[in-house]
DNA sequence: CGACCGATTGACT
DNA sequence: GTCAATCGGTCGG
């Protein structure tokens, strides 16, 4: 069984998030995303991220602030949670200073802690769910970790929802690809994937 | 106001 | 491979 000591439970500091989104997206690979729910701690290791910023036509922030995207303009380290296709939640962490309008979408984790409670939530909409499918994709990840709009605007610098480093953290090898589901604009390679992880969403980034 | 689209998913052919 | 679910944003009339 995974150890509860997988993470030191110290959140990543504000300074980590006060950088360009692409840098933060890359450096979040291999970190832990944890949520303290009524059923206990759950979470895992981040294996896939995407960066968005205000100069990017595909970003929600490209057209300025609205009621829906306002949290994307909060200080780095703030949760931005939005509804996708009217059905799913997607979880982002903002980067840079207030009003910067940049964020990193967390697209997939390798589940480590609280696997049973995550499976319970996923089975509410699935007949069957392998460990691999618990949090592979932004909507699935939010359901597994019980992240919804009540977390929108919440700081990630303190519990219950936190980003931190696993014990003995080392930056993993990674690859970049075009982002998933983007049809606007000239696409930039702002999707970051842990090399050869089996917990990635979408098409395989390497042969 | 109505039509269409999207940083998606899951069931089905 | 196809397609529906479901809702806020955006754009045209």
């Amino acid at each position: 069984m995974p150890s509860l000591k997988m993470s030191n439970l110290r959140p990543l500091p504000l300074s980590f998030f006060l950088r360009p989104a692409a840098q933060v997206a890359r450096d979040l690979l291999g970190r832990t995303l944890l949520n303290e729910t009524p059923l206990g701690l759950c979470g895992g290791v981040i294996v896939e991220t995407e960066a968005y910023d205000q100069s990017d036509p595909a970003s929600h922030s490209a057209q300025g602030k609205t009621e829906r995207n306002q949290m994307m303009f909060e200080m780095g380290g703030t949760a931005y949670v939005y509804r996708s296709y009217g059905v799913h939640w997607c979880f982002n962490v903002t980067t840079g200073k207030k009003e910067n309008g940049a964020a990193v979408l967390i697209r997939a984790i390798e589940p480590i802690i609280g696997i049973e409670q995550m499976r319970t939530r996923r089975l509410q909409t699935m007949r069957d769910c392998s460990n691999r499918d618990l949090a592979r994709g932004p909507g699935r990840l939010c359901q597994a970790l019980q992240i919804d709009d009540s977390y929108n605007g919440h700081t990630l610098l303190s519990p219950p929802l936190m980003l931190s480093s696993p014990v003995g953290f080392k930056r993993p090898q990674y690859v970049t690809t075009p982002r998933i589901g983007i049809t606007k604009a000239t696409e930039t390679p702002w999707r970051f994937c842990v090399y050869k992880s089996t917990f990635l969403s979408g098409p395989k980034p390497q042969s």
Side-chain angles (χ1 to χ4, degrees), chain A residues 35 51 66 128-129 137 160 168 172 187 193:
Chain A
N35 195 16
T66 68
D128 208 10
C129 187
E187 186 43 0
C193 301

Side-chain angles (χ1 to χ4, degrees), chain A residues 88-102:
Chain A
H88 312 285
W89 299 111
C90 289
F91 167 67
N92 300 252
V93 53
T94 61
T95 79
K97 298 175 182 172
K98 189 168 165 64
E99 309 303 337
N100 188 43

Side-chain angles (χ1 to χ4, degrees), chain A residues 100-169:
Chain A
N100 188 43
V104 175
L105 173 68
I106 311 298
R107 289 193 57 91
I109 65 169
E110 176 177 345
I112 303 290
I113 292 176
I115 287 180
E116 285 319 304
Q117 60 163 297
M118 291 195 276
R119 185 184 311 284
T120 298
R121 285 188 286 270
R122 292 283 291 124
L123 288 178
Q124 291 171 10
T125 52
M126 284 188 84
R127 302 173 173 162
D128 208 10
C129 187
S130 64
N131 279 6
R132 182 169 177 265
D133 285 340
L134 281 177
R136 186 168 62 92
R140 293 164 173 166
L141 180 152
C142 283
Q143 187 185 21
L145 294 181
Q146 199 170 300
I147 297 172
D148 58 27
D149 61 338
S150 69
Y151 288 87
N152 194 30
H154 193 285
T155 179
L156 300 171
L157 305 178
S158 61
L161 187 58
M162 290 193 321
L163 292 156
S164 57
S165 299
V167 169
F169 169 78

Side-chain angles (χ1 to χ4, degrees), chain A residues 29 47-49 132 136 173-180 191-207:
Chain A
L29 296 178
V47 296
E48 180 182 348
T49 60
R132 182 169 177 265
R136 186 168 62 92
Q173 281 195 295
Y174 68 95
V175 293
T176 63
T177 80
R179 293 170 298 184
I180 303 289
R191 177 182 179 227
F192 298 83
C193 301
V194 170
Y195 184 58
K196 285 186 174 172
S197 169
T198 59
F199 293 88
L200 303 177
S201 70
K204 283 194 174 179
Q206 61 268 343
S207 68

